[in-house]
Structures are given as structure tokens and as C-alpha cells.
């Protein structure tokens, strides 16, 4: 039995085995005009880049869910759009819209703060969210 969430939940096994990526820190340049420092950033794994693409594509293909308004969805579910609140969210009672909103909020956070997505991955939050989405899809 397939569900509209298959393109997201298919990442569960890969995320369990992935290293997510690596921080790249510039130790070679000294910050002068001739040798400007490159700010640290995460070079994400292929798995994470594909997951990020799948989340954006899911949002694009399901406008009726309104998950582009992820901030409002999180707020309605008592979750703030910030790392601690999102990672600590009890997903056992959240519906599919709230779960996908968490995923989209995590990838959008990366746009404002390098490494934000890495934090959600390393804490196990993304895996919990995807596993909850799988439970919903199986019901």
C-alpha cells in the first residue's frame, strides 16, 4: 500500500546509517583582504541533500496542505520555530500536517543558520518525525 508520504519516509533506513555531513572550517586563511576567511559551513551528505529536495518537492506538490505556513502550523501545535522546542516536541499526537511542517521548518532553518539541519539530524528529531509520518501513513 502506497501513500503520498512514501517519498519522505523512504529516507528512514538511510538516515539511520548516514553520517549527515561534515563541517568545513577554513584554517588556511588569516582574514586579510588577500586571504579572506570562508565562514564555516556544513557539506551535507548526498542522503541529506536528497531528503531536503524531497521535502521541498513535497511542499510544492501538496499546496492544499498549506505546509508553507509551517510557522503557523507549529504554533497551533504548541511548538516554537526554534531548535529546542522542535526537537522536544511530542510527535506521538501530531498529525501529518504538523509532522511535515516540522520537516519543512528544519530545512528552512538551514537557510538562516548554517548547521541547523545538522542539529535536527544528530539529535534524532528528523528520524522521529519521519517514523511518526510512517505510522500515520500505515493507519
Amino acid at each position: 500500500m502506497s501513500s503520498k508520504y512514501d517519498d519522505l519516509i523512504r529516507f528512514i533506513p538511510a538516515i539511520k546509517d548516514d553520517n549527515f555531513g561534515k563541517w568545513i572550517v577554513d584554517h588556511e586563511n588569516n582574514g586579510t583582504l588577500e586571504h579572506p576567511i570562508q565562514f564555516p559551513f556544513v557539506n551535507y551528505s548526498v542522503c541529506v541533500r536528497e531528503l531536503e529536495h524531497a521535502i521541498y518537492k513535497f511542499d510544492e506538490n501538496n499546496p492544499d496542505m498549506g505546509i508553507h505556513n509551517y510557522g503557523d502550523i507549529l504554533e497551533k501545535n504548541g511548538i516554537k520555530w526554534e531548535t529546542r522546542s522542535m526537537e522536544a516536541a511530542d510527535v506521538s499526537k501530531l498529525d501529518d500536517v504538523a509532522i511535515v511542517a516540522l520537516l519543512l521548518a528544519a530545512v528552512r532553518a538551514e537557510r538562516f543558520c548554517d548547521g541547523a539541519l545538522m542539529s535536527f539530524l544528530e539529535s534524532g528529531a528528523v528520524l522521529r518525525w519521519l517514523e511518526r509520518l510512517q505510522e500515520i501513513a500505515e493507519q
Side-chain angles (χ1 to χ4, degrees), residues 4-34:
K4 69 179 178 180
Y5 304 110
D6 287 348
D7 284 342
L8 298 175
I9 59 179
R10 71 181 173 89
F11 287 94
I12 292 172
I15 284 180
K16 288 180 179 178
D17 294 331
D18 199 51
N19 67 0
F20 310 128
K22 177 181 173 188
W23 275 99
I24 306 298
V25 180
D26 183 356
H27 295 289
E28 296 176 16
N29 295 300
N30 62 8
T32 63
L33 287 175
E34 297 82 25

Side-chain angles (χ1 to χ4, degrees), residues 43-74:
N43 183 13
Y44 284 105
S45 69
V46 171
C47 173
V48 174
R49 288 193 315 266
E50 288 177 358
L51 172 61
E52 183 179 23
H53 177 75
I55 292 167
Y56 280 124
K57 189 163 182 79
F58 184 89
D59 178 34
E60 181 182 310
N61 291 339
N62 295 281
D64 55 308
M65 291 181 73
I67 58 173
H68 55 277
N69 295 321
Y70 56 88
D72 294 338
I73 295 167
L74 296 181

